[in-house]
Amino acid sequence: MKKTILSCLLALGFLSASAQDQQPKTEYVFNPHWYVQIQPLGLQHTLGEVDFGDLNSYTVQAAIGRQFSPIFGARLAVNAWQSKAGSKVLDQQDVEHKFKWSWKYVAPSIDLTVNLSNALCGFNPNRVFNLSLLAGLGANIGFSNDDAATEKAGINGLYNNLSTEAKKIWDDADNLDYIWDGSKVRLLGRVGLAADFKVSDKVSIGLEANANTLNDHYNSKKAGNWDWYFNALAGVKINLGKTYETRVIPPLEPEIRYVEKVVEKIKEVPAPAVEREALRRDIFFIINKTDIRPEEANKVKEIADYLNKYPTAKVVVTGYADAGTGNDKINDRLAAGRADVVVKSLVNDYGISMGRISYDSKGSRVQPFAENDLNRVSICIAE
């Protein structure tokens, strides 16, 4: 009686533990997709020597891009509007003179993007905030630099009225030695950060800050170093097409566990040895399936007939999945399910005792057959 009660308690414990694990899981599968990005609100600051506010101007940007994976993407961005520059000099009476000028530009660039949130925390399409790194190369096409010519004339007029000693001081100052006119195309380098706040699967609000560098001639001033301007942009990003799919992974069915009543043996008589040949049956399955097809069901019956014919025989059932499809997580589930369905059929359909059955699953890590499709199989060996 004590052994029977203990066995029942163990059985209840196994059932409780199994029930807690039997929850379906949701898996998100990323879809490559295109997107458009419009950033009509922008502020540009061009690095220079005059007051900070004198070097700020309005800017806009638009882009079309493609997200190739949860982490990596690329875009064609076009930034445009206006840049500013300025210079401050002192005359011989220590009076400060300020010169400011502006010009127009259009700057297309190819930027590579890295989604840092997905890289560090894994792909999650329901995440509200995503931080991305961007870097790219492009061209800055500058034009309408007429203001610089006007300021240059003012500087020259003031210079001509200076004493010889003051002129020496001004000779060391920056007086638009690299002034240019017409249209100029210069190589542009860019790095930046972008923050996207999800509104829906299609739309997100984005903030971007980027730094752009060009050669020393951009702002017409000779400074002996690269010229820089910085953009702060805000806008909307619209995804084109489905960005992900949802896949529900059904839970593995609970492992069959039987608790046999322990009966005290009064006398054990060894069974007579019976000579027999081992029986092997390979039960094949359809891709991504774990149910036994009607044309394969007779193989299970042949195994049951063998076990009924030889009461001391046992069977080993091993499930497999093909390595050509899926991943280890999915293939482990399929292989275990294929072994489990054969075991259940032997027990429930043919009354074979669980004590005569052993089972295992190898996933797709072991491939018993050279042909990929044949590895969607449960191999059963009875002897």
Side-chain angles (χ1 to χ4, degrees), residues 121-133:
C121 305
F123 174 62
N124 180 4
N126 296 320
R127 185 181 293 116
V128 175
F129 173 78
N130 282 279
L131 181 67
S132 298
L133 175 69

Side-chain angles (χ1 to χ4, degrees), residues 100 147 164 198 215 241 351 362 373:
K100 298 183 292 182
D147 288 352
T164 303
K198 177 182 175 181
N215 67 29
K362 303 295 185 182
D373 293 354

Side-chain angles (χ1 to χ4, degrees), residues 346-367:
L346 289 172
V347 173
N348 298 331
D349 298 337
Y350 299 103
I352 303 300
S353 171
M354 191 64 193
R356 301 175 66 190
I357 304 173
S358 300
Y359 62 96
D360 191 10
S361 65
K362 303 295 185 182
S364 58
R365 297 172 180 84
V366 177
Q367 300 287 273

Side-chain angles (χ1 to χ4, degrees), residues 269-281:
V269 178
V274 178
E275 293 184 2
R276 57 179 181 266
E277 293 183 357
L279 174 71
R280 170 173 170 165
R281 290 293 182 267

Side-chain angles (χ1 to χ4, degrees), residues 33-38 202-204 236-240:
H33 58 276
W34 293 91
Y35 65 85
V36 293
Q37 193 173 31
I38 302 172
K202 293 286 188 182
V203 179
S204 61
V236 63
K237 180 179 178 181
I238 302 173
N239 295 317
L240 307 178

